[in-house]
Amino acid sequence: MKHSKLILPITLVAALSVPALQASGSKTSDHSTVNSDIRVATGENTQELSSVNGNIDVASDAHVGAISTVNGDIDVKNGSTIASVESVNGDIELAAGVVIENGIETVNGSVELAQGGIIKGDVGSVNGDLDFSAATVKGNISVVNSDIHLKNGTVVEGDLTVKKGKNSWFSSMFKSKNSKPKITFGENVVIKGKVVFERDVKLTVADSAQVSDIDYKYKK
């Protein structure tokens, strides 16, 4: 799901203004860009990548350090390993078998994780929707306004929390703070930790899903 782009102050744009990477060697160092895309080739090893408006594309079986964007999308292909992923407005798409060694943080960008994908740390989002299929999250999931769709046997080993949002213009600029997040636990989904709702949600739970007792922190 695409969102409106956030315009950064020109001072930040200028600070990050360096050439983009087209990975071609066996190992590369840190790279950042403002408007150019960054592409990492199949099987490459590289360190940190960052972008303001450019997209970051990682081909199959690559090993990459931390990835961060402001408005650019992040697309990681099958079997790659990434240290961590952060985005403000850019969407994050992780293909089958991708491993995130630490966690994922996003403000407005959505996150898709395909079959066999593993996130070893936490997942945090303010407005960006989460869509995980046949995947594993070893840490916690925490959102504010985001929809969460877990399906096809996805396992969350930590807690899942929908937080009460603060009444600020930034947290509600892409979704109404009065709308209910849609939380779906599909077929054979397992939530091993606690499920906590600090605000009202629209909850759907499949008969085959294994979910612990839900703690409703708000007045129903």
Side-chain angles (χ1 to χ4, degrees):
M1 182 176 65
K2 297 292 182 183
H3 306 283
S4 301
K5 301 301 185 183
L6 180 67
I7 303 302
L8 285 186
I10 192 168
T11 52
L12 177 55
V13 173
L16 292 174
S17 181
V18 296
L21 162 69
Q22 175 70 48
S24 58
S26 60
K27 188 173 184 179
T28 57
S29 57
D30 299 358
H31 289 270
S32 60
T33 180
V34 176
N35 295 314
S36 299
D37 294 343
I38 299 175
R39 296 182 178 87
V40 177
T42 300
E44 288 289 342
N45 296 325
T46 188
Q47 298 180 27
E48 295 183 4
L49 306 175
S50 64
S51 171
V52 177
N53 298 313
N55 299 328
I56 298 179
D57 298 317
V58 179
S60 301
D61 301 317
H63 288 75
V64 181
I67 296 178
S68 62
T69 69
V70 178
N71 298 315
D73 295 335
I74 298 170
D75 187 0
V76 181
K77 298 302 184 185
N78 299 12
S80 289
T81 299
I82 313 296
S84 63
V85 180
E86 296 182 7
S87 173
V88 178
N89 297 314
D91 294 333
I92 301 168
E93 185 171 352
L94 308 173
V98 168
V99 176
I100 307 299
E101 292 288 352
N102 296 293
I104 294 177
E105 294 184 11
T106 179
V107 178
N108 300 311
S110 63
V111 183
E112 295 184 13
L113 181 62
Q115 181 177 4
I118 299 174
I119 300 172
K120 294 185 178 181
D122 298 335
V123 178
S125 176
V126 179
N127 297 313
D129 297 336
L130 309 181
D131 190 332
F132 298 167
S133 179
T136 300
V137 178
K138 293 184 176 292
N140 303 315
I141 294 177
S142 177
V143 304
V144 179
N145 299 314
S146 310
D147 296 341
I148 301 176
H149 301 285
L150 306 180
K151 52 195 178 185
N152 300 326
T154 290
V155 176
V156 178
E157 297 184 1
D159 300 336
L160 187 149
T161 304
V162 178
K163 294 184 175 182
K164 182 179 179 180
K166 297 179 180 179
N167 293 325
S168 68
W169 68 269
F170 188 72
S171 66
S172 59
M173 65 185 295
F174 291 95
K175 288 187 177 181
S176 169
K177 61 179 179 293
N178 296 318
S179 63
K180 296 180 182 180
K182 298 180 180 66
I183 311 299
T184 303
F185 301 144
E187 296 294 334
N188 301 311
V189 164
V190 178
I191 311 294
K192 294 184 178 181
K194 297 180 294 183
V195 176
V196 180
F197 295 145
E198 297 180 1
R199 57 171 298 184
D200 197 7
V201 303
K202 183 176 181 180
L203 177 63
T204 303
V205 182
D207 291 339
S208 60
Q210 301 177 41
V211 181
S212 62
D213 291 338
I214 299 174
D215 186 0
Y216 294 94
K217 294 289 189 181
Y218 64 94
K219 292 182 179 179
K220 299 180 66 176

